[in-house]
Amino acid sequence: MYKILKAEKLADKIYLMDVEAKRIAKSCQPGQFIIAKMDDRGERIPLTICDYNREKGIITIVFQIVGASTEKMATLKEGDSFRDFTGPLGQASEFTGEDLEELKKKKMLFVAGGVGTAPVYPQVKWLHEHGIEADVIVGAKTKDLLILTEEMKEVAGNLYVTTDDGSYERKGMVTEVIKDLVQTQGKKYDVCVAIGPMIMMKFVSLLTKELQLPTIVSLNPIMVDGTGMCGACRVTVGSEVKFACVDGPEFDGHLVNFDEAMKRQQMYKTAEGKAVLKLREGDTHHGGCGQCE
Amino acid sequence: MESDVLKKVPVREQEPQVRAKNFEEVCLGYNMEEAQAEASRCLKCKNARCVSGCPVAINIPGFIKEIQDGNVEEAYRIISESSALPAVCGRVCPQESQCEGKCVRGVKGEPISIGKLERFAADWARENSISPKKPATTNGKKVAVIGSGPSGVTCAGDLAKLGYEVTIFEALHEPGGVLVYGIPEFRLPKEKVVKPEIENLMKLGVKIETNVVIGKSTTIDELMEEEGFEAVFVGSGAGLPKFMGIPGENANGVFSANEYLTRSNLMKAFQDGYDTPIVAGTKVAVVGGGNVAMDAARTALRLGAEVHIVYRRSEEELPARVEEVHHAKEEGIIFDLLTNPVEILVDENGWVKGMRCIRMELGEPDASGRRRPVEIPGSEFELELDTVIMSLGTSPNPLISSTTKGLEINKHRCIIAEATNGQTSKEGVFAGGDAVTGAATVILAMEAGKAGAKGIHEYLSNK
Ligand SMILES: Cc1cc2nc3c(=O)[nH]c(=O)nc-3n(C[C@H](O)[C@H](O)[C@H](O)COP(=O)(O)OP(=O)(O)OC[C@H]3O[C@@H](n4cnc5c(N)ncnc54)[C@H](O)[C@@H]3O)c2cc1C
Ligand code: SF4
Ligand code: FES
């Protein structure tokens, strides 16, 4: 059992939890993820690591309710436990293995969309702790959906926040901010790291390809085991098929086949829709109304 | 009980039409009377050939005699001397090519049903709460076992009996390896059979830490240098699925057999009340002809689909056990033999809508001695489908070999280890099972686990 030491609602449908997981906290690196399973009957759910405390043996996760399993998970409180918590899985972000002096010469731009702010945070924090200040763009639909803005401010070089509806700081999509920084203000970046909804990563990658700015994205396909055993997580990168759980989750954004990845993410949508209805309606759900097809 | 000495006492099975719709065990096993009748057919040979066919050399005439005399507890004890998983082996071992294949009774008639008798003794022991006892003292030496499949479990059990303090590290949330995630409920019941065998292991004092991925959560070097483990046995299996590399393979509705079976078996997607979804499919093709393909096909059938096995050679070359092919046919699986997929056809939403295949014929024998299938030009045709399950074999996962200093592998990514004692290229590290041989069988993995335990005992005794 893996004890929840803190459970907090960050925004509508977005939750943060500190979980006791000593082995993971000891060995994890930015860019990696964990798999959580709530109880005996739960699904195995991959979640990126948002923060870690090696001394105290704590892993921080942030997740958004997207289906029945995450909806159930959101009901967990401080003092409750996950039955299973496995990791760290996947490869660490490439820069964690680079020569520090070389890395210091590079100018990095991070682009975080929505709940993707959570996995961006430990990367920017790691760089900050190693004396490197990276610029960060954070985007959300609206002000109430922004998360970790204060935390990010402390570790980022320049922080640019934008909301689709203009309810906080800039108005518009993250791609517009990139254009503004690179084209209008003439800023030079050596690498861009974009993490957020698949559609956002697709459009950022399209733009940065035009701008000839190398871009890394972090994919979150459907997974089961997370150790390379099932192939549920396969994605096409360039001409190769990769297993995101072991080869990724980070890949060259200019080579990822996003359209295929987005279709694959929808695979269980019908089943998931039914499960959500069943969860909400309990025994009153008997199907047949056509709502869940 | 009347019986023809040349014939096996038939074993009761669920009717094919009934079992095709449920996940209950197909084979119901012998009762006491049937088991004793079958045991009485055995000649109790002096130089029993059956024993030489058994990879762990169970004293077969010995335990059969005890069953005949009604001493089932003693029969179980005799089997347990050599095997840690008798209820499992009695169900899934390929007896026809091992013990039963060698049995002298088989020369003129049918061999003794050794597997069914082994299963009977093990089931009886479980139902009567007979289990192995914990050794009185430990020797204080810590050994780590990676993976809780048949090789790891056997190695851990043998070492615990010798007094070692054994901890098994398992990547998944449930111990058992392929026994829990691969082989389906209807062949190997999880709660009834696998779990009690794992619990017996824990009664011997073996600790199991689940959710630890060696190579990620920690490494072999750290286990030895920081956690005080004096030796390590790697029984991490061969879990990496292969795909064909044909167009359309990433479409929605194409799965590896591993994914399909894991969703159904480990995550229990077939049962109400569990959260993991599975695409049942209405018309399913399973590509491949091994045991894994049969298991995937029969799982899809039970979930309500029409199921085709698509295999590029003929029936004779099917690598699956004869019993499994027979069961699959009885249940209504359709065999499209001498057929090979060339492309998966995809609809506008990214879902499978069919598969283009080509007919094959058998040509000259290839390196494996089997006749090589060759395409018949112009014979392409389309199968209409909504689900494709790829069952083309698996290879060992590089997670461990790539993170352990000095652990050598061969070109198939298999860990190189001595067959007699499991010794690898790294001091103190032993290996066995599918991780060394590539995908094989439960009993061969157990044999390797035994050899590894022996190797570790010798190594630590002389250290
Ligand atoms: C569907 C299916 C049906 C089969 N049917 C039969 C049959 O009827 N008869 C038969 O004899 N054989 C059968 N086999 C083959 C048989 O199951 C295997 O040969 C046998 O289980 C191998 O045992 P093992 O101990 O080597 O590995 P496995 O059973 O594969 O166990 C390995 C374990 O190690 C764990 N592991 C892997 N990597 C790590 C890591 N880095 N850290 C921690 N843990 C790790 C895995 O999660 C797994 O639990 C079947 C296989 C499958 C897939
Ligand atoms: S070879 Fe057959 S008859 Fe002889 S001891 Fe073995 S099982 Fe019995
Ligand atoms: S999640 Fe199973 S292989 Fe990646």
Side-chain angles (χ1 to χ4, degrees), chain A residues 227 229, chain B residues 88-89 91-94 98 145-154 168-184 187 209 211-218 233-239 257-258 261 265 290-296 321 324 391 394 397-400 403 432-446 448:
Chain A
T227 65
M229 187 192 87
Chain B
V88 172
C89 290
R91 287 172 165 84
V92 304
C93 269
Q98 299 179 4
V145 170
I146 301 170
S148 60
S151 66
V153 162
T154 302
I168 298 184
F169 296 96
E170 168 56 50
L172 293 172
H173 58 269
E174 213 62 71
V178 170
L179 308 181
V180 292
Y181 80 71
I183 304 180
R187 276 214 296 138
E209 203 181 318
N211 299 321
V212 182
V213 185
I214 302 298
K216 290 286 171 192
S217 313
T218 182
F233 178 82
V234 185
S236 52
N258 263 7
L261 290 168
N265 298 324
N291 282 323
V292 183
M294 298 305 138
D295 283 345
R321 286 184 63 195
E324 302 310 328
S391 178
T394 52
N397 196 323
L399 260 183
I400 290 181
T403 53
D434 285 5
V436 169
T437 56
T441 61
V442 171
I443 192 72
L444 289 175
M446 288 178 56

Side-chain angles (χ1 to χ4, degrees), chain A:
Chain A
M1 299 294 258
Y2 302 81
K3 202 165 175 190
I4 298 169
L5 303 175
K6 184 170 114 183
E8 192 184 321
K9 184 171 178 176
L10 292 184
D12 185 34
K13 294 194 171 157
I14 303 179
Y15 294 80
L16 174 146
M17 286 176 189
D18 281 351
V19 182
E20 200 172 60
K22 294 202 172 65
R23 284 195 188 276
I24 309 177
K26 185 171 166 234
S27 54
C28 70
Q29 293 288 341
Q32 292 187 297
F33 65 97
I34 57 99
I35 284 187
K37 187 168 179 292
M38 210 177 123
D39 53 27
D40 269 351
R41 297 176 165 225
E43 260 185 285
R44 291 172 65 94
I45 303 176
L47 298 167
T48 36
I49 295 169
C50 170
D51 203 357
Y52 49 89
N53 184 322
R54 299 212 198 281
E55 288 74 44
K56 293 192 181 143
I58 295 170
I59 292 289
T60 305
I61 52 170
V62 170
F63 64 91
Q64 186 167 24
I65 296 181
V66 290
S69 290
T70 36
E71 186 159 335
K72 275 193 211 169
M73 220 162 85
T75 62
L76 291 176
K77 295 178 297 292
E78 184 182 318
D80 291 344
S81 293
F82 283 95
R83 181 187 185 275
D84 301 286
F85 209 74
T86 313
L89 300 169
Q91 303 293 330
S93 304
E94 211 174 283
F95 64 76
T96 60
E98 270 179 62
D99 179 72
L100 213 54
E101 293 314 309
E102 286 302 308
L103 192 60
K104 279 183 179 159
K105 292 183 199 143
K106 285 190 183 166
K107 193 80 190 116
M108 295 182 74
L109 174 66
F110 285 82
V111 183
V115 71
T117 312
V120 164
Y121 174 71
Q123 303 201 14
V124 178
K125 182 176 167 189
W126 187 96
L127 289 166
H128 175 74
E129 283 169 356
H130 288 80
I132 300 161
E133 304 304 321
D135 285 357
V136 181
I137 302 170
V138 172
K141 277 210 184 79
T142 182
K143 182 178 177 218
D144 293 341
L145 292 175
L146 282 167
I147 56 168
L148 304 169
T149 315
E150 286 311 308
E151 289 84 349
M152 196 69 92
K153 217 172 259 170
E154 277 170 35
V155 293
N158 298 304
L159 177 64
Y160 310 93
V161 182
T162 182
T163 46
D164 293 1
D165 62 1
S167 53
Y168 188 77
E169 294 201 356
R170 292 171 180 244
K171 175 174 171 28
M173 307 279 183
V174 289
T175 41
E176 288 161 37
V177 186
I178 301 176
K179 274 190 211 157
D180 177 38
L181 296 181
V182 176
Q183 290 180 325
T184 318
Q185 302 186 30
K187 291 203 178 208
K188 293 260 181 299
Y189 294 103
D190 298 296
V191 61
C192 166
V193 178
I195 309 180
M198 210 70 101
I199 190 81
M200 176 208 102
M201 294 191 282
K202 174 182 169 175
F203 281 107
V204 169
S205 297
L206 284 174
L207 171 65
T208 56
K209 197 166 186 175
E210 244 172 67
L211 299 174
Q212 294 183 323
L213 171 55
T215 296
I216 292 163
V217 295
S218 178
L219 302 183
N220 54 339
I222 291 170
M223 293 191 185
V224 183
D225 60 298
T227 65
M229 187 192 87
C230 74
C233 61
R234 58 196 193 278
V235 290
T236 306
V237 182
S239 56
E240 284 179 274
V241 176
K242 299 276 189 189
F243 286 8
C245 70
V246 283
D247 301 322
E250 299 190 342
F251 294 105
D252 182 340
H254 296 165
L255 296 179
V256 169
N257 182 338
F258 284 105
D259 294 335
E260 177 189 279
M262 282 189 272
K263 280 185 187 145
R264 288 186 62 79
Q265 262 191 339
Q266 303 298 308
M267 187 142 19
Y268 294 95
K269 231 187 147 196
T270 314
E272 187 48 44
K274 279 186 193 162
V276 172
L277 281 182
K278 199 165 166 188
L279 179 72
R280 296 217 182 117
E281 300 177 6
D283 288 341
T284 62
H285 180 69
H286 296 294
C289 65
Q291 288 286 1
C292 52
E293 292 307 320

Side-chain angles (χ1 to χ4, degrees), chain B residues 42-45 48-50 60-61 64 103-105 112 114:
Chain B
C42 171
L43 303 170
K44 324 289 171 334
C45 310
R49 288 168 49 184
C50 54
I60 294 168
I64 293 184
C103 171
V104 289
R105 267 286 185 212
I112 306 300
I114 302 170

